[in-house]
């Protein structure tokens, strides 16, 4: 069976044919590093990690290049830096914020079982590429300078007599409607009300770089140009897959396509545009004001990262996901069981029943159903399949040990009570043995008797 992926641009599921099977290339928009990442941010991380792993499985580890950027120049970063480090020069404060947040992000996504991308470029290290694209756009008549800004004109793009995509094609909007519906308080230096910023002047104290297009004052890039520059540098003018959350389709990705295609006279930037659906919490939109804003960091204090991962993958990536405590508890029980039966087993080849749904536009809910099907039969295929999906990074003993640690249960004390209970049973003192069983249950410990003896685990 072949890999098929849903493409937001053509609005259909299509067979995936890489431009070069020896170098399959994917770009995913990464975080803006100013604060802890929330559980919604974990969704693209996990979804595109599964795709990365699947592509490596299909084309070979050495033949897939995955780029996920870090946006380290942004107003939100500047604001946070000024607030958290008021005594420091802004540039130093910004470096502190981006370094610390970047470290937190890595710790979080490592715990989620996500492989590090092949390259994690930082926006501030690609200013030269941004300037180069901007120069090309100005020369080509797609962008212009006004009051030390450089602005891109979607109308110039759509009027151009060249084989370019239509501005608005990705987000399925018409430029005429966008023009008619645009806000009235458009910045006065903009010629058209849908024009967007490629470069802008920096305020005193803000990070700044020499400007392109003959502008004397120093400035800084707009957000969209960063991704065009980083994708170009690391993947070329045209590559296979571009991903991100559904909220990025417009304006971010629409503008990325416009910049890249007009700068390089291309009909396409990426052949497949993939977008994950949004995550909400207990049926409500997650927001700081509603008090239901959950960071990955907080969740990891209560749950192993693989539980969060499984919980995310139980929903198809294009559907909205409702993140609930109940579902998390079920995911934890499922993983406890899989760890018990499969973690210490020699992994076999991933089962066709698991791989085939993944080939169908990453149908992870169906793949997970197939894992349940393997549970009672081919456990070595179960182990191999779980590993393909990024699970079983620990041994069964490590997993159980972590659970014990998290529960605060003293393993020695449990062993002592079990020995006492075994002694009570052998002298047929069932009152005492029941009392000890209840005591263990109250501590959160479940025991199981078999011919080999009594085993125990932390009950979820
Ligand atoms: P941001 O740092 O806000 O640019 O987001 C980083 C990534 O997380 C982007 O791909 C967003 O589309 C994605 N994202 C943000 N919020 C959510 C959410 N609630 N559910 C799913 N994805 C999200
Ligand atoms: Zn981007």
């Amino acid at each position: 069976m072949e890999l098929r992926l849903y493409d937001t641009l053509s609005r259909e599921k299509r067979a995936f044919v890489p431009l070069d099977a020896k170098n399959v290339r994917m770009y995913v928009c990464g975080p803006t590093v100013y604060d802890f990442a929330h559980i919604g941010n974990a969704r693209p991380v996990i979804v595109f990690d599964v795709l990365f792993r699947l592509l490596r499985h299909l084309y070979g580890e050495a033949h897939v290049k995955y780029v996920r950027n870090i946006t380290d120049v942004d107003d939100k970063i500047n604001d946070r830096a000024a607030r958290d480090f008021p005594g420091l020069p802004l540039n130093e404060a910004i470096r502190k914020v981006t370094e610390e947040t970047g470290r937190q992000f890595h710790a979080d996504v490592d715990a989620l079982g996500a492989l590090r991308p092949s390259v994690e470029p930082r926006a501030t290290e690609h200013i030269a590429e941004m300037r180069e694209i901007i120069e090309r756009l100005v020369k080509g008549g797609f962008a212009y300078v006004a009051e030390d800004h450089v602005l891109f004109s979607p109308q110039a793009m759509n009027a151009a007599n060249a084989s370019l995509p239509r501005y608005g094609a990705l987000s399925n909007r018409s430029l005429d409607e966008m023009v008619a519906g645009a806000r009235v308080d458009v910045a006065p230096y903009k010629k058209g009300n849908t024009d967007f910023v490629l470069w802008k002047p920096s305020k005193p104290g803000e990070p700044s770089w020499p400007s392109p297009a003959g502008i004397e004052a120093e400035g800084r890039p707009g957000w969209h140009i960063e991704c065009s520059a980083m994708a170009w540098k690391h993947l070329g003018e045209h590559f296979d897959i571009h991903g991100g959350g559904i909220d990025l389709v417009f304006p971010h990705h629409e503008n990325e396509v416009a910049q890249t295609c007009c700068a390089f006279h291309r009909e396409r930037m990426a052949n497949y545009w993939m977008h994950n659906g949004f995550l909400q919490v207990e049926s409500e939109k997650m927001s700081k004001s509603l008090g239901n804003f959950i960071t990955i960091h907080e969740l990891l204090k209560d749950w192993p990262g693989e539980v969060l991962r499984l919980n995310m993958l139980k929903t198809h990536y294009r559907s909205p996901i409702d993140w609930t405590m109940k579902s998390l508890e079920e995911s934890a029980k499922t993983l406890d069981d899989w760890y018990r039966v499969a973690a210490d087993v020699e992994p076999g080849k991933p089962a066709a029943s698991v791989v085939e749904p993944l080939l169908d536009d990453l149908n992870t809910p169906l793949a997970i159903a197939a894992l349940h099907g393997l549970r009672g039969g081919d456990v070595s295929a179960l182990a191999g399949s779980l590993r393909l999906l990024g699970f079983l990074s620990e041994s069964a003993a490590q997993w159980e040990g972590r659970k014990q640690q998290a529960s605060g249960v003293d393993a020695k004390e449990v062993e002592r009570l079990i020995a006492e209970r075994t002694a009570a049973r052998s002298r047929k003192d069932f009152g005492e043995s029941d009392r000890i069983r209840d005591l263990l249950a109250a501590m959160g410990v479940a025991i199981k008797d078999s011919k080999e003896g009594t085993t125990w685990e932390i009950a979820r």
Side-chain angles (χ1 to χ4, degrees):
M1 216 178 123
E2 61 183 8
L3 174 61
R4 295 170 67 78
L5 297 173
Y6 183 86
D7 171 26
T8 306
L9 176 60
S10 58
R11 281 173 275 284
E12 63 180 0
K13 225 189 270 183
R14 288 191 285 123
F16 177 71
V17 184
L19 289 162
D20 174 2
K22 291 260 175 284
N23 184 20
V24 181
R25 286 160 289 165
M26 170 162 81
Y27 185 94
V28 174
C29 294
T32 304
V33 282
Y34 66 99
D35 204 350
F36 283 110
H38 59 67
I39 188 63
N41 301 135
R43 194 166 192 197
V45 169
I46 294 171
V47 162
F48 291 103
D49 179 66
V50 170
L51 180 56
F52 183 36
R53 287 171 185 270
L54 183 64
L55 292 170
R56 284 158 53 110
H57 177 72
L58 297 173
Y59 296 96
E61 286 186 14
H63 302 300
V64 184
K65 188 167 181 186
Y66 173 23
V67 179
R68 185 182 62 211
N69 71 290
I70 290 178
T71 295
D72 59 354
V73 44
D74 185 271
D75 285 338
K76 289 186 287 253
I77 299 174
N78 302 346
D79 295 348
R80 176 60 59 115
R83 194 194 80 185
D84 288 0
F85 303 97
L88 285 183
L90 188 59
N91 278 329
E92 249 175 75
I94 287 170
R95 193 160 42 81
K96 278 197 184 292
V97 169
T98 57
E99 277 178 7
E100 181 54 28
T101 315
R103 239 193 324 273
Q104 279 158 4
F105 180 72
H106 278 144
D108 288 350
V109 301
D110 288 352
L112 295 172
L115 299 172
R116 292 284 179 97
S118 325
V119 190
E120 282 194 286
R122 288 176 166 266
T124 51
E125 286 162 11
H126 294 75
I127 303 287
E129 288 79 7
M130 297 180 210
R131 271 203 301 263
E132 162 85 27
I133 294 177
I134 293 171
E135 297 282 2
R136 284 168 181 249
L137 292 172
V138 172
K139 280 202 191 85
F142 301 103
Y144 60 93
V145 176
E147 293 186 21
D148 291 345
H149 292 69
V150 186
L151 294 138
F152 184 94
S153 165
Q155 277 163 307
M157 173 181 175
N158 279 8
N161 203 359
S163 47
L164 295 169
R166 178 177 61 77
Y167 186 86
L170 181 68
S171 56
N172 203 13
R173 294 162 192 235
S174 104
L175 186 56
D176 288 345
E177 278 165 22
M178 285 187 243
V179 170
R183 297 181 357 208
V184 281
D185 58 338
V186 177
Y189 48 80
K190 289 192 181 178
K191 289 187 193 165
N193 60 9
T194 56
D195 297 353
F196 63 86
V197 168
L198 300 174
W199 190 264
K200 57 192 165 190
S202 299
K203 295 193 197 82
E206 278 181 354
S208 66
W209 293 268
S211 296
I215 299 170
E216 272 189 27
E218 293 212 331
R220 59 196 174 112
W223 173 33
H224 317 303
I225 195 72
E226 297 175 7
C227 286
S228 283
M230 289 184 269
W232 172 43
K233 168 80 182 280
H234 298 284
L235 298 177
E237 297 172 9
H238 182 204
F239 50 93
D240 297 298
I241 300 170
H242 194 313
I246 189 85
D247 58 319
L248 298 185
V249 176
F250 189 85
H252 186 51
H253 290 166
E254 191 73 62
N255 292 352
E256 273 188 45
V257 180
Q259 295 160 160
T260 297
C261 291
C262 292
F264 302 114
H265 308 287
R266 289 269 180 187
E267 271 180 85
R268 289 176 164 276
M269 178 184 187
N271 279 352
Y272 301 81
W273 286 86
M274 295 179 65
H275 295 98
N276 63 268
F278 245 45
L279 174 148
Q280 52 173 19
V281 172
E282 307 283 352
S283 305
E284 276 191 284
K285 187 177 166 325
M286 182 167 41
S287 80
K288 288 203 165 135
S289 58
L290 284 173
N292 63 351
F293 186 90
I294 339 176
T295 62
I296 305 171
H297 184 72
E298 280 299 316
L299 279 167
L300 286 172
K301 290 180 183 162
D302 294 332
W303 309 93
E306 287 186 22
V307 169
L308 309 184
R309 183 178 180 91
L310 176 62
N311 205 49
M312 200 67 88
L313 296 176
K314 287 199 294 198
T315 305
H316 187 258
Y317 77 93
R318 283 195 284 126
S319 304
I321 183 169
D322 190 20
W323 190 263
T324 66
M325 192 54 85
K326 182 164 174 284
S327 171
L328 267 173
E329 281 162 3
E330 283 164 9
S331 300
K333 285 208 181 93
T334 302
L335 268 167
D336 284 348
D337 179 58
W338 285 342
Y339 260 93
R340 215 176 299 121
V341 301
D344 296 342
V345 168
E346 185 65 33
K349 252 178 57 164
S353 61
V354 175
V355 176
E356 276 175 16
L358 295 177
L359 294 176
D360 182 16
D361 193 31
L362 297 188
N363 192 337
T364 52
L366 212 58
I368 289 167
L371 292 172
H372 287 296
L374 294 170
R375 159 69 174 81
D378 188 347
V379 290
S380 89
L382 173 64
S385 306
L386 281 166
R387 282 169 201 276
L388 172 66
L389 282 162
F391 296 106
L392 305 187
S393 61
E394 298 178 352
S395 67
Q398 279 171 321
W399 182 265
E400 186 57 31
R402 207 133 73 96
K403 234 166 54 171
Q404 287 170 19
Q405 217 172 19
S407 68
V409 165
D410 177 351
K412 279 219 179 74
E413 176 65 5
V414 173
E415 300 289 352
R416 192 185 64 73
L417 285 167
I418 288 176
E420 258 185 39
R421 176 173 168 271
T422 307
R425 274 157 57 102
S426 58
R427 58 175 196 269
K428 302 220 166 9
D429 183 353
F430 296 115
E432 176 65 1
S433 93
D434 284 353
R435 190 190 67 81
I436 297 172
R437 174 189 282 268
D438 292 348
L439 186 64
L440 286 164
M443 290 163 60
V445 173
I447 55 177
K448 205 185 261 166
D449 298 315
S450 71
K451 283 199 290 290
E452 286 79 39
T454 303
T455 56
W456 66 281
E457 62 172 1
I458 302 298
R460 291 250 193 219

